[in-house]
Every structure is written in C-alpha cells, then in structure tokens.
Amino acid sequence: SQQGEEDPQALSIQEGENATMNCSYKTSINNLQWYRQNSGRGLVHLILIRSNEREKHSGRLRVTLDTSKKSSSLLITASRAADTASYFCATDASDSSYKLIFGSGTRLLVRP
Amino acid sequence: DAGVIQSPRHEVTEMGQEVTLRCKPISGHDYLFWYRQTMMRGLELLIYFNNNVPIDDSGMPEDRFSAKMPNASFSTLKIQPSEPRDSAVYFCASSRQGARSPLHFGNGTRLTVT
C-alpha cells in the first residue's frame, strides 16, 4: 500500500520556470525523502527531511514539510531540460521505521 | 564506490520458467530492499533484509516469489514459475540505516514474461 501520494501526476513547464510538486501522506512519519527517476534508470536520492525539520535546501531544490497537514512539497527553481524526470516522495511505513514506501510520483517535463 | 549492481539488465522468458535476479549492494550498507515497479501499481516494496536476515516479506506477492541474502554482498530474487503478470522492472536498493537514511538504487532488471 502507498503511504505518499504526489500531486500533480504530471507537470509541463518551460525551461527557467519553477516547478512545485506536492506529497501527502497518511500516518505519522520519522522522515520523508524525495527521489528522482530518469527514464529507464533507478531512483536517485535528492533530499531527506526529518519530522522535526520544516525546510531543507540542496542547490536548486527546496523541500518543505508540514507534519500537521501531513504534506511536503518539492520546489525546483530555474528548471532545466535535464530536470525532466519522475519525482517520488517516500516515507517510512506506519508499521516500521526501517522500510520505505513510495508514492505514485509526478512526471515532470521541462520544455527547452 | 560502484553503487548497487543488478543483473541481468533485461530478462525475457516464457511463462512457467524460473527467473533469478541478482543484486550486489554497496559495501557497508546493512539494509537491502527489493522493489517492483509497474505502471499500474507503481513502486511496491517486496522484501527487505537487515544484516542478511529477511525482516519483512509481507510485500512478496505469492509463494512463487522467494528472496535470499546468503552474505552481505549478494542477494537474489527468484520467481518460480514465472507468469506474464510478473512482467515489471525489479529494483534492488541498499542503505545504511533502512528508511532512516537514503536508499541507493541499482538500475533495475526489466523482466518480460511471455
């Protein structure tokens, strides 16, 4: 069963614009992670944010976490064509803090 | 660091045949995960190991699926007998502290069962 659900399912933007993806989850968590997947490849870890953190940055990536709303967002600023990929949020499972459950993902297309 | 290595990259087999997928995790990672990805069901966790011991196999779909980790540097996922609905991309991932740390994924094995 999926813990996180991303919104939107698909997003198409122009190069240079910002892209925002949202993730909602159902039960309390210890941390939330974001991953990117290029077509035909494995997932690549982007950012891990712990439940006691509200915001985290990594280069052009900004992740926020609102535990009261059980939601997170991933912002990619000044997008590039190379950012075209699927993005997934993942949380530890309600029955175990050691197993990671993924959402359904957002497909991002950045048009040059 | 060579990353997580999976083999084969592609596997095409006929229904009823046995399929074995292989994974070499990153050295020093105590957790190993097997996931399956399909368009319909997304990324599903099949099983995970801690220190070579299976901890949770509740995601394994049927008795046709089995996974082993004989040592810290090798794991297999076996399907016997295979069925067309098993067609998917199977990923192996490893991490230092389970879901409390980043997972490192292999490039997956694309399985097609005809």
Side-chain angles (χ1 to χ4, degrees):
Chain A
S1 62
Q2 291 176 335
Q3 163 78 309
E5 292 296 331
E6 285 88 340
D7 169 59
Q9 290 188 331
L11 180 61
S12 179
I13 60 174
Q14 201 73 34
E15 202 166 28
E17 295 180 337
N18 295 340
T20 299
M21 288 159 270
N22 304 296
C23 169
S24 59
Y25 55 92
K26 298 173 185 173
T27 62
S28 61
I29 60 173
N30 292 293
N31 68 68
L32 185 144
Q33 303 186 36
W34 284 92
Y35 288 79
R36 182 187 74 219
Q37 184 180 31
N38 290 91
S39 180
R41 305 300 296 272
L43 282 76
V44 174
H45 178 262
L46 297 176
I47 288 182
L48 182 153
I49 185 166
R50 305 200 184 280
S51 59
N52 60 354
E53 298 175 309
R54 292 296 167 257
E55 189 169 311
K56 214 162 181 182
H57 297 256
S58 177
R60 295 183 294 112
L61 306 181
R62 172 179 169 247
V63 167
T64 61
L65 179 63
D66 187 333
T67 53
S68 66
K69 295 181 179 179
K70 292 187 170 60
S71 68
S72 174
S73 67
L74 169 66
L75 168 67
I76 304 174
T77 60
S79 64
R80 305 167 182 168
D83 294 329
T84 294
S86 291
Y87 291 82
F88 296 86
C89 70
T91 61
D92 48 328
S94 57
D95 59 343
S96 168
S97 63
Y98 290 97
K99 68 182 190 183
L100 199 63
I101 306 298
F102 285 82
S104 53
T106 293
R107 295 188 310 279
L108 173 66
L109 172 64
V110 181
R111 306 186 304 275
Chain B
D1 185 354
V4 175
I5 300 173
Q6 290 187 247
S7 64
R9 283 283 280 140
H10 302 275
E11 177 79 43
V12 181
T13 190
E14 292 183 347
M15 182 173 63
Q17 295 298 307
E18 176 181 303
V19 175
T20 299
L21 311 181
R22 297 173 177 78
C23 174
K24 175 179 170 58
I26 292 173
S27 177
H29 283 192
D30 292 334
Y31 289 82
L32 183 140
F33 301 81
W34 282 100
Y35 286 89
R36 177 172 70 176
Q37 186 176 38
T38 62
M39 289 293 291
M40 291 296 295
R41 300 175 67 89
L43 265 163
E44 302 173 276
L45 176 63
L46 301 177
I47 185 171
Y48 81 96
F49 295 81
N50 176 220
N51 291 326
N52 313 339
V53 176
I55 303 300
D56 186 335
D57 66 354
S58 59
M60 296 286 260
E62 298 169 33
D63 291 344
R64 298 184 296 106
F65 286 69
S66 62
K68 293 181 180 179
M69 192 165 185
N71 57 62
S73 60
F74 185 64
S75 177
T76 60
L77 178 67
K78 185 177 292 186
I79 307 172
Q80 181 186 20
S82 58
E83 296 182 3
R85 58 185 167 140
D86 301 331
S87 297
V89 181
Y90 291 81
F91 288 103
C92 175
S94 68
S95 75
R96 292 189 184 279
Q97 299 178 7
R100 300 182 178 195
S101 59
L103 269 60
H104 297 257
F105 281 77
N107 280 324
T109 294
R110 181 174 294 279
L111 174 64
T112 302
V113 183
T114 61

